[in-house]
Amino acid sequence: MNSIIFSILSIYVFILMGYLAKRSFKEQIDDKTITLLNVYFLQVFLTFWGLLLHPIDITLFYAPAIYLVIVIVVLLISALFASKLFSRKKEYSIAMVAAIIGNTGNLGIPLNIAIFGEASIPYTTIINLMNVFVVYTIGVYFYSRGNFDVKTSLKNIVKLPILWAAMLAIFLSLYGYRPSKTIMNMLMMGAYASMTMQLFLFGIYLYGTKIKEINKRLISWVMAFKFILLPLVAFFLLDFLHNPKLVQKLLLLKHEEL
C-alpha cells in the first residue's frame, strides 16, 4: 500500500517541476514545442511499447468500446441540462466537452501504472487512442460551436502518428511478433520520456490557469459529472457487462481523471 502511495506522489513531483519551471522561466518555456515533440515523436514509442508489451487478445478491445459507450450516454444526459444552465455558447461548449473528456494521457497512463502495474499499459494505451478520437470528433464539434467539418477533423486524426503506430503494433502483435529485449528497452525509454514530458506539460498548463477567471458554476458542473455521474454510469454499465476485473477498475479510474 505504501509503495502505491509513494508511486502516486512521485507523479506529482514532475507536475510540480513543470509548474515551477514555467513560473521561473515564463516565456522561455515554449509549451507548444514540447507538445509537438511529445505528440509527434515520443508518444509513438509509448504506443508501440504499450501495445507490444503483452500479446493482444479480444479483451483489449472491450475497454475502448465500453469507454465510448459511457461517454455517449453521459453526453446525452449532459445535453438535457447544459443548455438550460449555460446560455453563453462558449460556456455551453466547455460544459458539454470538459465533463466527458478524461486526462487519459497526462495523468491517466502514469497513474494506472502506479496503481495497477504494467499489466494495465495495453488497456490504458488503447483507451487513450479512443479518447483522442473523442477529442477530435465530439470535442471539435462543440468547441467549433456547430461549425463542424467532418473531413478536416478526420484529416487531423489521420495525421496523428500514434494512430498509425497503434495500427502497426496491433498488426504485428496479432501476427505473433515479439520484440527482443533490446528493442523493448528502447521503446520503454521513449515511453517513459513521453509520460514524464506529459506530466511536465500538465504542470506548465496549471501555471497558466487563472483561478479568479474560473466560472464557479461551470467548474461545479464539470466536477459533478467527472466525479459523480461518470463513475455511476461506468459502474452500472460495467457491472451489467461482467468484464475482467482489471478492465472494470481501469475504466472506473479513467472517468475520474481530470
Side-chain angles (χ1 to χ4, degrees), residues 37-84:
L37 287 171
N38 194 25
V39 171
Y40 285 92
F41 295 96
L42 291 177
Q43 283 197 14
V44 172
F45 289 89
L46 177 59
T47 303
F48 267 111
W49 180 64
L51 294 175
L52 292 175
L53 194 61
H54 302 292
I56 289 175
D57 58 48
I58 191 65
T59 59
L60 180 65
F61 300 100
Y62 292 162
I66 298 169
Y67 178 85
L68 182 60
V69 171
I70 294 169
V71 165
I72 292 171
V73 170
V74 173
L75 186 69
L76 292 173
I77 297 172
S78 178
L80 295 173
F81 302 101
S83 59
K84 297 176 182 178

Side-chain angles (χ1 to χ4, degrees), residues 139-164:
V140 169
Y141 174 78
F142 282 104
Y143 282 132
S144 64
R145 298 169 196 176
N147 299 318
F148 182 62
D149 186 348
V150 177
K151 187 177 180 180
T152 301
S153 185
L154 291 175
K155 278 185 177 179
N156 288 333
I157 294 173
V158 170
K159 288 178 182 178
L160 292 172
I162 58 171
L163 173 67
W164 299 101

Side-chain angles (χ1 to χ4, degrees), residues 7 11 38 42-43 45-51 53 102-129 131-132 162 191-192 194-196 198-199 250 253-254 257-258:
S7 296
I11 291 171
N38 194 25
L42 291 177
Q43 283 197 14
F45 289 89
L46 177 59
T47 303
F48 267 111
W49 180 64
L51 294 175
L53 194 61
N103 194 349
T104 59
N106 286 339
L107 279 176
I109 296 175
L111 192 58
N112 279 284
I113 291 174
I115 296 173
F116 302 114
E118 290 191 351
S120 67
I121 296 171
Y123 296 101
T124 51
T125 302
I126 204 161
I127 291 171
N128 187 44
L129 290 169
N131 189 62
V132 169
I162 58 171
Y192 275 96
S194 173
M195 287 185 279
T196 303
Q198 286 172 178
L199 295 170
L250 287 170
L253 184 60
K254 280 290 173 190
E257 289 158 6
L258 288 171

Side-chain angles (χ1 to χ4, degrees), residues 4 17 44 47 55 58 64 67 86 89 91 95 120 133 154 188 194 200-201 213 228 231 250:
I4 293 176
M17 287 174 64
V44 172
T47 303
I58 191 65
Y67 178 85
F86 304 101
K89 289 184 177 180
E91 290 182 355
S120 67
F133 176 78
L154 291 175
M188 183 175 68
S194 173
F200 200 86
L201 274 168
E213 296 176 4
I228 300 174
L250 287 170

